[in-house]
Amino acid sequence: MTTTRIAVAGAGYIGLAHMGVARSSPTCTLSAVVDPSPSARAPAEQAGVPLYASLAELLAKDRPDGVVLATPNVLHVPQALECIAAGLAVLLEKPIAPTVAEAEQLLCAADAANARVLIGHHRAHSPIMAKACEVVASGRLGRLVAVMGSATFFKPHEYFADAPWRSQPGGGPILINLIHEVHNLRMLCGEIVAVQAFASNATRGAAVEDTVAINLRFASGVLGSFMLSDTAACARSWEQTSQENPAYPSYADEDCYVVAGTHGSLSVPTMRLKTYARPGDRSWWKPFECSVVGLQRADPLTLQMEHFGAVVRGEAAPRVSVRDGLANLRVTEAIVQAARSGATIELSSHSSS
Ligand SMILES: NC(=O)c1ccc[n+]([C@@H]2O[C@H](COP(=O)([O-])OP(=O)(O)OC[C@H]3O[C@@H](n4cnc5c(N)ncnc54)[C@H](O)[C@@H]3O)[C@@H](O)[C@H]2O)c1
């Protein structure tokens, strides 16, 4: 079988992880690395692949089948446009763009070229999310009414000292972390049509928020609340509960989402399911039937690379499209705006355009 040749642009934190999964893939192979930094030399040598200083050099000398763009956010749109113009499939890291306006420009170009672009919301490939969506779709929870979520963790001083942009406008946990949560919430409950938010920077005193309380309204009528904090010594985050990234300690007694319907609720990722056995049993004075939904865990980044290979070969449509990436960014932008203004921000008119 011929393997799909994948080049990775940006050999930084997440780019190295993409290189690793491409190298161990049964269907893809790492063909090259693109990064102007001298620090990329060692990982490229270790992988035994050529290193190019720019996408233009890669395209001129060593055209791959697909490109992973794991570069700084400001490069996402210009580099994706360069790949689209060259007719290459792209796995573009999140966020799709630094601003909705730039993401809209990418959407136009991708549509016009009928381009194959997968946005790197890798949790969309998580078996936990697949199983949770399956439970919701099965109707076992009844009609969904509420979702409660959290991404509360403590980022150490070095995290900000190593990359000062993380505590400057353009950084902050809304743009860095919440966009992943938004995609998960959209997978579970559908489109978000309105948001409210309180943000605080009182603990770190940085230019960006450290803690945010968010209210969400979904098109389906479901209401949601979400707590986000990068200064809370608390394990209620995907990273510390999903067991999907061994870099993080994991706590089997904590969840980061609870999805509640008229007949039951599901806690994610422990997958504890509480349902009323019969419609007549629905009362807070009666006990739930309690179970744990079984699932086979697997690394979503590995699964994402396999999916990207299929997208490159034209065997699959991107599971996370440019439209999805744009919709996620619209929600995070609206949350920033809601926190600044104190107003309710409605997204209904353009959330799925
Ligand atoms: N999916 C995830 O969970 C996840 C996790 C972390 C980061 N990210 C995203 O991935 C992207 C990269 O983040 P990071 O933390 O790995 O950043 P990083 O700073 O660790 O790495 C970025 C790399 O890009 C290189 N680079 C700069 N200009 C370049 C150019 N013109 N061409 C090619 N390479 C260039 C840099 O030299 C650096 O090696 C960001 O968009 C970030 O939001 C996603």
Side-chain angles (χ1 to χ4, degrees):
M1 189 173 107
T2 54
T3 52
T4 303
R5 298 174 73 249
I6 304 293
V8 173
Y13 167 70
I14 199 72
L16 291 173
H18 287 299
M19 287 167 63
V21 294
R23 288 178 72 191
S24 56
S25 165
T27 60
C28 301
T29 186
L30 180 70
S31 69
V33 173
V34 179
D35 197 315
S37 167
S39 63
R41 232 174 269 145
E45 264 170 31
Q46 202 193 345
V49 298
L51 172 67
Y52 301 105
S54 67
L55 278 178
E57 194 185 349
L58 169 81
L59 295 173
K61 294 184 179 163
D62 191 7
R63 189 184 161 88
D65 300 316
V67 177
V68 178
L69 294 175
T71 48
N73 298 353
V74 289
L75 297 177
H76 285 191
V77 171
Q79 289 191 327
L81 292 174
E82 202 175 336
C83 292
I84 289 171
L88 285 176
V90 185
L91 194 177
L92 174 59
E93 262 303 343
K94 47 58 56 176
I96 181 171
T99 62
V100 164
E102 285 171 83
E104 284 171 340
Q105 190 197 343
L106 178 57
L107 176 65
C108 283
D111 275 355
N114 200 15
R116 294 156 296 163
V117 182
L118 172 67
I119 308 299
H121 287 281
H122 64 282
R123 292 185 202 163
H125 307 271
S126 161
I128 300 169
M129 286 305 298
K131 190 56 83 173
C133 291
E134 195 183 305
V135 171
V136 169
S138 75
R140 292 171 79 184
L141 306 183
R143 184 170 58 81
L144 291 193
V145 292
V147 60
M148 291 155 275
S150 55
T152 47
F153 36 68
F154 191 93
K155 291 182 178 175
H157 172 72
E158 312 83 77
Y159 175 88
F160 300 100
D162 290 350
W165 67 267
R166 290 171 173 154
S167 47
Q168 302 297 325
I174 293 179
L175 278 177
I176 295 175
N177 306 100
L178 189 70
I179 200 151
H180 282 301
E181 311 300 336
V182 167
H183 191 77
N184 277 11
L185 294 171
R186 289 180 57 242
M187 285 178 76
L188 289 169
C189 303
E191 293 303 336
I192 294 166
V193 295
V195 303
Q196 298 172 321
F198 285 121
S200 166
N201 65 350
T203 304
R204 293 193 188 280
V208 291
E209 72 285 347
D210 53 52
T211 304
V212 192
I214 300 154
N215 288 330
L216 304 162
R217 189 169 70 231
F218 293 81
S220 59
V222 172
L223 297 182
S225 67
F226 200 95
M227 275 310 310
L228 171 72
S229 179
D230 65 15
T231 189
C234 176
R236 289 198 178 181
S237 67
W238 183 269
E239 288 83 351
Q240 293 154 288
T241 58
S242 67
Q243 301 168 37
E244 287 184 341
N245 183 343
Y248 298 97
S250 204
Y251 301 87
D253 61 337
E254 299 271 19
D255 281 291
C256 58
Y257 311 136
V258 180
V259 189
T262 50
H263 287 64
S265 62
L266 178 71
S267 299
V268 182
T270 60
M271 305 306 280
R272 286 174 297 163
L273 180 66
K274 291 184 173 65
T275 53
Y276 288 117
R278 291 179 302 267
D281 289 342
R282 291 193 298 148
S283 161
W284 64 354
W285 285 295
K286 296 205 173 169
F288 285 113
E289 275 196 347
C290 300
S291 60
V292 174
V293 181
L295 64 89
Q296 198 77 40
R297 288 175 200 280
D299 172 25
L301 216 58
T302 301
L303 296 172
Q304 179 180 251
M305 183 56 71
E306 290 313 298
H307 174 66
F308 182 50
V311 170
V312 172
R313 295 187 297 273
E315 297 164 6
R319 185 171 299 169
V320 184
S321 65
V322 171
R323 277 184 169 68
D324 279 318
L326 172 56
N328 295 338
L329 188 65
R330 276 194 172 124
V331 175
T332 54
E333 264 196 14
I335 288 168
V336 171
Q337 203 185 335
R340 268 194 206 133
S341 64
T344 300
I345 306 298
E346 306 278 345
L347 288 129
S348 51
S349 59
H350 49 207
S351 61
S352 59
S353 64

